[in-house]
Amino acid sequence: MPTSEQLAGRFVDLHIKDSNREGSEKEYVYVDGEMEITPQSTDGNPNYGPCEATVSISTMEQWEKELLEDPKNRLALSALAGTDPKTVLTQRSATIADTQSFNIKISLEGSPITNQRSSGRCWLFAATNVFRVALMRRYNLKEFELSQSYLFFWDKLEKANWFLENILDTTEEELDGRLVQALMGAPVNDGGQWDMVANLVEKYGLVPQHLYPDSHNAMNSSTMASLITTKLREDALVLRDLASKSSNPRSSVGSVKEKMMREIHLMLTLMLGPPPGPDKEITWEYYDKDDKFDSLTTTPLEFAAELSSKESVEANRGTDVHEMFSLVNDPRNEYDTLLSVSRLGNVIGMRGVRYVNVSMHVMKEACIAMLKAELPIFFGSDVGKWSDSKSGIMDTGLIDYELGFNIRLGLSKAQRLMTGESALTHAMVLTAVHLDKDGEPVRWRVQNSWGEGAGSKGWFVMSDRWMDQFVYQAVVDPSFVSQEIRDVLKKEPKMLPLWDPMGALA
């Protein structure tokens, strides 16, 4: 009997077609490439039958009999029952087309490849991987890495404070109501957003990685997050109880909240290690790309401010990374509008999350222009869809589920957001794009933060059609979009609820 690998090869390479496929496709209606859910009869009217409330055993037996009469389904059973369907259904054509070759590529992409390990810090890795390119140009470095753990420490502390403040602000809301339950869901989520990292850098600065390296709990954050979450939920109940007994809750819980924050600080310090103070001197010693030794005595805040210095901006092709902002593509909402998410943030008194909603065409134009200007791009996507971490390929043509199961997955991008099928789950960095003869993008080069064992030594490739469906955000320099887009930042934002998919933290 053939092995499952041999069956898989036959299944994919021969591209076996169901003899009844043409008839089965009549059950689907497509509008501009998207599936309309209503099945149709031959006369064009909706083909509804009586709705059965229960699952009929006899009907299932008949389904199984008919299913196994089809030799294609018997082959599929042999292939799919013994391995991951994604492996069996991977299309060779996609793996051939999605190569690591690009006709527009920034000359300094940043190295080494970073590794967030078993933590949800991708947003901090993506952001610092963008920041480091400017610093590598400024100091003529061959390799360089900023401390993600440094920002991670302060983010956890600030998120704890953000959570407690929001608990105090919602004491009149029901405990089991959707808002309070959403706040309780993940008080110190590992994830974050561009505006949140911008807040951290503005308040606490940056340090080189070797001056505050990862601890075990930075690389394996689940236990730490679980402990702090449990403590904060307990604290939330205490605050709500105290507030219920006072006409002025904030005036009555000051010392209690301070004690709570001190306990969180203790837990973070013991698990991550004491970080450098934002305004305390640090000394960075390094070798440049010419192997020349140098050192710099500064503070974390001064080091971060260096990104906006005349020398750094000039070295970074005129871009000040502190001025960049998020474009998003959310087809549920009107384009050229400003979006924000209620109660989403990390640092009280600083900016919340804000997105300028644009079409994919506008987003891609800005990304291409930035790459031509030698600038890396922080972007957010739903990385788990139609992708393979081993090969590092993200392509909607990578896995042919229709071939294996004779089904269609026809949700549009907007429908995926509306139904919870997709959200912004992971942040990475764009460093190259391949354009066709008409100047249209074909594929994009992606720097990930999963170490050199994922993809091609840490590098991924993203097809342009995958970008259309599963990329939601790109952080750009204002000079690479029109004045009309920049003016959107001055508008009042449309506030999305905390549980909206655009509130997901990468």
Side-chain angles (χ1 to χ4, degrees):
M1 182 175 178
T3 65
S4 58
E5 288 80 6
Q6 289 171 326
L7 286 169
R10 293 178 191 174
F11 189 43
V12 173
D13 292 337
L14 294 177
H15 211 73
I16 296 174
K17 301 291 184 181
D18 184 359
S19 60
N20 295 321
R21 171 180 267 177
E22 183 178 347
S24 68
E25 285 190 350
K26 292 178 182 178
E27 298 175 0
Y28 300 94
V29 175
Y30 292 87
V31 180
D32 295 330
E34 297 173 4
M35 187 174 71
E36 183 179 297
I37 306 302
T38 306
Q40 302 288 311
S41 65
T42 54
D43 62 5
N45 295 316
N47 185 23
Y48 294 114
C51 179
E52 298 292 339
T54 61
V55 177
S56 166
I57 294 176
S58 61
T59 299
M60 286 190 294
E61 289 174 345
Q62 181 62 28
W63 289 349
E64 181 181 300
K65 178 177 179 295
E66 293 175 0
L67 184 152
L68 294 178
E69 284 175 351
D70 187 334
K72 174 200 166 181
N73 288 331
R74 295 199 299 274
L75 175 60
L77 175 63
S78 297
L80 296 171
T83 190
D84 186 340
K86 291 198 295 185
T87 301
V88 175
L89 301 175
T90 294
Q91 298 301 290
R92 188 181 180 198
S93 59
T95 62
I96 292 172
D98 295 325
T99 62
Q100 286 285 350
S101 55
F102 306 89
N103 49 21
I104 296 174
K105 180 171 173 285
I106 65 177
S107 56
L108 181 59
E109 296 178 295
S111 62
I113 289 292
T114 54
N115 193 341
Q116 67 188 77
R117 301 190 187 275
S118 298
S119 72
R121 299 176 292 162
C122 62
W123 62 297
L124 295 174
F125 278 76
T128 52
N129 285 346
V130 168
F131 296 151
R132 71 174 173 180
V133 170
L135 293 168
M136 289 173 74
R137 287 178 175 143
R138 170 74 174 88
Y139 293 103
N140 191 34
L141 303 175
K142 181 179 180 181
E143 290 190 341
F144 180 62
E145 190 171 350
L146 286 161
S147 172
Q148 305 87 9
S149 191
Y150 177 76
L151 296 173
F152 194 48
F153 180 101
W154 298 118
D155 181 62
K156 291 290 188 190
L157 190 67
E158 290 286 356
K159 278 178 179 167
N161 185 62
W162 180 276
F163 170 74
L164 295 177
E165 284 295 308
N166 273 278
I167 289 298
L168 286 171
D169 200 42
T170 56
T171 54
E172 295 184 1
E173 300 279 342
E174 293 294 330
L175 178 60
D176 60 356
R178 190 169 190 180
L179 175 56
V180 176
Q181 287 300 303
L183 290 169
M184 292 282 194
V188 287
N189 193 320
D190 276 8
Q193 263 299 339
W194 177 263
D195 290 299
M196 295 164 72
V197 75
N199 288 339
L200 297 172
V201 173
E202 182 179 341
K203 185 170 181 178
Y204 296 102
L206 294 165
V207 301
Q209 204 270 347
H210 73 271
L211 292 181
Y212 191 69
D214 278 354
S215 70
H216 170 84
N217 292 295
M219 296 184 288
N220 304 272
S221 61
S222 60
T223 299
M224 178 177 68
S226 178
L227 286 170
I228 295 175
T229 294
T230 299
K231 188 70 180 71
L232 286 172
R233 286 170 176 163
E234 177 183 308
D235 292 344
L237 294 179
V238 172
L239 289 182
R240 284 179 62 89
D241 182 62
L242 289 173
S244 69
K245 300 171 181 176
S246 171
S247 59
N248 189 351
R250 289 187 177 277
S251 65
S252 62
V253 301
S255 60
V256 176
K257 185 201 161 192
E258 182 179 350
K259 178 178 179 293
M260 293 172 175
M261 285 300 299
R262 185 169 184 173
E263 290 171 340
I264 299 300
H265 179 269
L266 179 148
M267 296 170 74
L268 287 169
T269 302
L270 296 182
M271 286 187 280
L272 296 178
D279 55 359
K280 303 298 183 184
E281 280 195 351
I282 56 173
T283 299
W284 171 40
E285 298 178 337
Y286 64 93
Y287 287 94
D288 67 15
K289 65 172 58 175
D290 300 319
D291 208 31
K292 178 184 175 183
F293 174 83
D294 208 339
S295 67
L296 174 69
T297 298
T298 184
T299 70
L301 283 171
E302 290 170 349
F303 192 53
E306 177 61 27
L307 288 167
S308 297
S309 70
K310 180 175 181 291
E311 294 81 2
S312 292
V313 171
E314 288 178 353
N316 204 38
R317 312 300 192 263
T319 289
D320 181 347
V321 296
H322 290 308
E323 299 298 321
M324 297 195 293
F325 69 97
S326 291
L327 300 178
V328 295
N329 176 245
D330 178 357
R332 301 171 305 162
N333 289 294
E334 184 180 351
Y335 292 147
D336 301 332
T337 59
L338 189 64
L339 304 177
S340 187
V341 181
S342 177
R343 300 186 184 277
L344 182 67
N346 58 348
V347 182
I348 295 293
M350 300 185 76
R351 64 168 142 166
V353 172
R354 56 180 186 166
Y355 305 123
V356 176
N357 194 30
V358 298
S359 69
M360 284 305 298
H361 175 73
V362 170
M363 183 183 291
K364 289 180 191 178
E365 276 196 334
C367 289
I368 293 169
M370 286 189 65
L371 293 173
K372 287 181 177 179
E374 298 260 328
L375 297 170
I377 302 156
F378 175 112
F379 80 101
S381 67
D382 190 353
V383 71
K385 299 292 195 298
W386 274 267
S387 65
D388 177 52
S389 60
K390 184 177 181 182
S391 65
I393 293 175
M394 300 178 288
D395 190 332
T396 55
L398 181 64
I399 305 162
D400 193 344
Y401 291 112
E402 180 187 353
L403 174 63
F405 299 100
N406 197 32
I407 62 171
R408 288 287 181 92
L409 302 176
L411 291 178
S412 68
K413 193 173 189 178
Q415 289 168 336
R416 291 190 201 102
L417 290 171
M418 288 187 287
T419 58
E421 172 63 19
S422 186
L424 198 164
T425 63
H426 188 57
M428 298 177 283
V429 178
L430 295 175
T431 64
V433 63
H434 187 75
L435 305 181
D436 65 16
K437 59 182 177 61
D438 298 318
E440 295 298 320
V442 176
R443 59 183 175 270
W444 304 75
R445 178 165 162 89
V446 176
Q447 184 184 71
N448 206 347
S449 55
W450 291 347
E452 292 190 357
S456 177
K457 296 183 179 179
W459 293 93
F460 281 48
V461 59
M462 172 178 67
S463 74
D464 190 63
R465 57 187 176 179
W466 192 94
M467 185 182 201
D468 282 333
Q469 295 299 320
F470 297 111
V471 167
Y472 294 102
Q473 174 191 27
V475 175
V476 301
D477 182 287
S479 64
F480 293 98
V481 296
S482 67
Q483 184 63 52
E484 289 77 12
I485 296 299
R486 295 197 294 272
D487 287 344
V488 174
L489 288 167
K490 303 173 185 176
K491 298 180 179 179
E492 283 297 313
K494 175 182 178 180
M495 299 301 298
L496 304 174
L498 182 59
W499 48 86
D500 189 89
M502 295 309 289
L505 297 179

